[in-house]
Amino acid sequence: MSEARRPDDRAAALVEPWRTRGRRQVHADLEIPIDVTFSYDPGDPWAVRVSFAHLGRATDWTLSRELLRTGVRTSCGVGDVRLWPVRLGGRGGRLRIRLGGIGPPVLVDVDRRELRTWLATTFEAVPPGTEPDHVDWAAEARNLGAGS
């Protein structure tokens, strides 16, 4: 059995976290600033970690990289996560991220153009279709048996 190819240091270095100031919509006429950090690990190639922080408290979500790529262009998502472009707020507009299950959803806007640029670096580091080559499948198999 061949060993899975691990991303080299150059690929990992291409994807610095993107930290931005988003806007959380509280009411139709009230938005509050919120710190948002997007992180990508080539060893977990399908996932993007997103941290939302306000007043020293953070909430972390894991979103699909492909979902984000689709969301900067068109409305997408189901269930707890939905995304759609909003054509206001600058030349590139914003991406609205709706998070929520039970209770009122949380709506956060981030700059669409900057997110698209950052996502491009993830696709440079791990091109579409090569994601399985970046996973340590032996470690994944060991993790499946860890709870037994």
Side-chain angles (χ1 to χ4, degrees), residues 24-26 79-80 82 84 97-108:
R24 178 172 176 212
Q25 186 175 8
V26 180
D80 292 347
R82 296 173 193 248
W84 63 93
I97 303 170
R98 180 192 182 276
L99 305 169
I102 298 173
V106 173
L107 299 173
V108 176

Side-chain angles (χ1 to χ4, degrees), residues 8-138:
D8 60 27
D9 291 336
R10 187 177 57 85
L14 287 175
V15 189
E16 291 292 322
W18 176 48
R19 292 172 178 82
T20 188
R21 181 63 72 123
R23 302 178 202 176
R24 178 172 176 212
Q25 186 175 8
V26 180
H27 297 291
D29 297 330
L30 177 61
E31 293 179 339
I32 59 172
I34 185 169
D35 295 318
V36 185
T37 302
F38 290 80
S39 302
Y40 182 74
D41 174 4
D44 190 5
W46 292 283
V48 171
R49 306 286 186 290
V50 187
S51 180
F52 302 94
H54 182 67
L55 299 176
R57 300 181 81 187
T59 301
D60 298 325
W61 284 70
T62 301
L63 304 179
S64 157
R65 179 172 77 149
E66 190 59 39
L67 180 74
L68 286 167
R69 182 159 106 167
T70 301
V72 296
R73 294 186 321 269
T74 188
S75 182
C76 65
V78 294
D80 292 347
V81 180
R82 296 173 193 248
L83 310 171
W84 63 93
V86 177
R87 307 284 183 216
L88 305 170
R91 272 182 47 181
R94 301 185 220 168
L95 173 69
R96 178 149 301 153
I97 303 170
R98 180 192 182 276
L99 305 169
I102 298 173
V106 173
L107 299 173
V108 176
D109 291 355
V110 296
D111 186 277
R112 243 176 35 142
R113 176 176 287 166
E114 289 181 27
L115 177 57
R116 188 180 302 127
T117 299
W118 180 81
L119 276 173
T121 65
T122 75
F123 285 102
E124 289 170 13
V126 179
T130 68
E131 292 92 348
D133 298 338
H134 293 266
V135 175
D136 183 346
W137 292 107

